[in-house]
């Protein structure tokens, strides 16, 4: 994920998505490339063609905030895409989003103990914490039961992206699998823009690019997104189909970690089902002792569409 290549491919992919009509420009016959020409983007952004061409070659280091804003306006970037462009420019300058240089990370992080306390206090919602490389590093009891297809019988704390693309069970758990796949890759792409030197993300992308054709195709699209909030459907082996609202919250005390909370609509059938799963979990838990979720090494390897027990490799 070399920065200059990332910048080049991101800008080219955004330029290709905009038609002349969408940009308010006249259509002037047949075009050799989809979307806008470099000269058209330069005109819309109020800069010379030579300077825009330099930016699109990946030389974005030193670009001012005004230049980035003008470029984002010309390319009609979403808020998430604008943030990604700023992240790429900061990385080109050697300054990550936090303003501090980061050391490469390879292993999943363990959150502080009080965060576990907070998770366990959330008894009516599915809640877990993930890191930038999609490792689930902490989870509450209901979340452990709900994500049992992901975690597996051994109680491992897995990687969401590996489950998505390398375990065929994900297609049963996620009825909207294609949408989930797009979201997963776009979130990873955004995280990679924030810290392109994160070894965990580099290793994850390298592995999935090698083992999953679907991941390779989605990664090449250069789409980015934040998880934010919304609704998702799941099919759980014990309670069937369920729809949950989700919220993603960044943990300010633990840079790179986010808290995801899934909650059913009050009074809905999904709420009844989640309560049933909660009661089954309470009955099955011996002595009410909380498991501690540490990533496990030596996971069963598989290729895309193969049936597996778990894909909880340690980064």
């Amino acid at each position: 994920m070399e920065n200059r290549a990332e910048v080049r491919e991101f800008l080219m992919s955004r330029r290709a998505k905009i038609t002349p009509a969408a940009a308010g420009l006249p259509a002037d016959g047949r075009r050799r490339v989809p979307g806008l020409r470099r000269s058209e983007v330069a005109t819309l952004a109020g800069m010379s063609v030579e300077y825009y061409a330099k930016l699109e070659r990946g030389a974005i280091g030193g670009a001012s905030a005004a230049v980035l804003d003008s470029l984002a306006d010309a390319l009609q970037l979403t808020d998430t895409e604008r943030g990604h462009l700023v992240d790429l420019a900061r990385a080109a300058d050697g300054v990550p989003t936090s303003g501090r240089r980061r050391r490469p990370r390879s292993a999943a992080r363990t959150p502080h103990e009080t965060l576990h306390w907070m998770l366990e206090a959330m008894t009516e919602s599915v809640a877990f914490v993930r890191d930038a490389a999609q490792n689930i590093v902490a989870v509450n009891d209901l979340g452990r039961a709900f994500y049992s297809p992901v975690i597996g019988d051994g109680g491992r704390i897995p990687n969401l992206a590996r489950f998505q693309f390398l375990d065929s069970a994900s297609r049963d758990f996620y009825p909207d699998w294609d949408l989930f796949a797009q979201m997963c890759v776009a979130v990873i792409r955004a995280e990679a823009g924030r810290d392109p030197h994160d070894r965990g993300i580099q290793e994850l992308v390298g592995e999935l690019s090698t083992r999953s054709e679907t991941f390779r195709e989605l990664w090449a699209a250069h789409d980015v997104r934040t998880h934010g909030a919304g609704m998702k459907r799941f099919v759980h082996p014990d309670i069937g189909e369920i729809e949950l609202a989700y919220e993603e919250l960044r943990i300010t005390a633990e840079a790179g970690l986010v808290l995801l909370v899934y909650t059913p609509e009050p009074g809905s059938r999904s709420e009844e089902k989640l309560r049933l799963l909660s009661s089954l979990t309470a009955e099955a838990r011996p002595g009410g002792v909380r498991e501690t979720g540490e990533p496990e090494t030596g996971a069963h390897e598989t290729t895309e569409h193969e049936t597996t027990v778990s894909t909880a490799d340690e980064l």
Side-chain angles (χ1 to χ4, degrees), residues 14-205:
R14 299 312 94 179
R15 177 164 62 86
K17 285 179 174 287
I18 305 175
T19 64
L25 299 174
D28 55 356
R30 188 173 181 178
R31 291 174 172 249
R32 292 184 299 173
V33 295
L36 298 179
R37 301 186 178 101
R38 288 192 183 94
S39 60
E40 292 169 332
V41 175
T43 299
L44 291 169
M47 60 183 67
S48 69
V49 178
E50 292 76 12
Y51 184 56
Y52 174 71
K54 174 185 174 182
L55 295 177
E56 195 175 275
R57 287 195 297 270
I60 201 171
S64 68
V67 166
L68 297 178
D69 283 342
S70 297
L71 187 54
D73 288 340
L75 294 173
Q76 301 179 16
L77 301 186
T78 65
D79 288 345
T80 300
E81 289 171 335
R82 283 173 178 268
H84 186 62
L85 180 62
V86 171
D87 288 338
L88 292 176
R90 286 178 172 173
D93 290 331
V95 182
T97 308
S98 66
R100 300 187 303 271
R101 296 183 181 274
R102 298 174 182 167
R103 295 180 180 179
R105 294 193 299 266
S106 57
R109 302 170 58 192
T110 301
H112 55 84
E113 186 178 16
T114 54
L115 188 54
H116 284 283
W117 299 348
M118 182 188 72
L119 287 173
E120 295 305 341
M122 303 171 70
T123 58
E124 297 184 358
S125 297
V126 172
F128 65 89
V129 175
R130 70 155 178 83
D131 64 13
Q134 299 294 301
N135 292 303
I136 297 179
V137 296
V139 61
N140 67 355
D141 281 339
L142 186 54
R144 190 174 294 107
F146 186 79
Y147 274 92
S148 59
V150 185
I151 296 172
D153 295 336
R156 290 188 286 262
I157 298 301
N159 182 280
L160 290 166
R162 288 192 177 99
F163 176 74
Q164 175 79 50
F165 291 100
L166 303 181
D167 193 332
S168 61
S170 67
R171 294 182 177 270
D172 296 323
F173 189 53
Y174 302 140
D176 303 310
W177 191 92
D178 291 338
L179 175 61
F180 275 40
Q182 293 170 7
M183 291 172 64
C184 181
V185 175
V187 168
I188 296 172
R189 172 70 76 177
E191 294 285 6
R194 292 188 186 98
D195 190 355
H197 303 295
D198 187 307
R199 188 181 303 158
I201 297 178
Q202 292 176 345
E203 292 173 355
L204 177 68
V205 171

Side-chain angles (χ1 to χ4, degrees), residues 187-252:
V187 168
I188 296 172
R189 172 70 76 177
E191 294 285 6
R194 292 188 186 98
D195 190 355
H197 303 295
D198 187 307
R199 188 181 303 158
I201 297 178
Q202 292 176 345
E203 292 173 355
L204 177 68
V205 171
E207 177 186 357
L208 296 181
S209 296
T210 300
R211 300 172 66 184
S212 170
E213 180 180 356
T214 304
F215 180 88
R216 286 196 301 274
E217 293 173 353
L218 292 173
W219 187 254
H222 283 264
D223 292 331
V224 294
R225 66 165 290 152
T226 52
H227 211 132
M231 301 291 294
K232 285 185 178 180
R233 291 193 307 144
F234 303 86
V235 177
H236 192 276
D238 294 328
I239 57 176
E241 183 171 320
I242 185 171
E243 186 174 31
L244 300 175
Y246 66 86
E247 295 279 349
E248 180 183 272
L249 307 169
R250 291 206 168 264
I251 302 172
T252 56

Side-chain angles (χ1 to χ4, degrees), residues 2-26:
E2 199 269 332
N3 181 260
R4 291 178 70 94
E6 284 291 300
V7 173
R8 179 178 67 251
E9 293 168 13
F10 178 67
L11 292 179
M12 290 177 64
S13 68
R14 299 312 94 179
R15 177 164 62 86
K17 285 179 174 287
I18 305 175
T19 64
L25 299 174

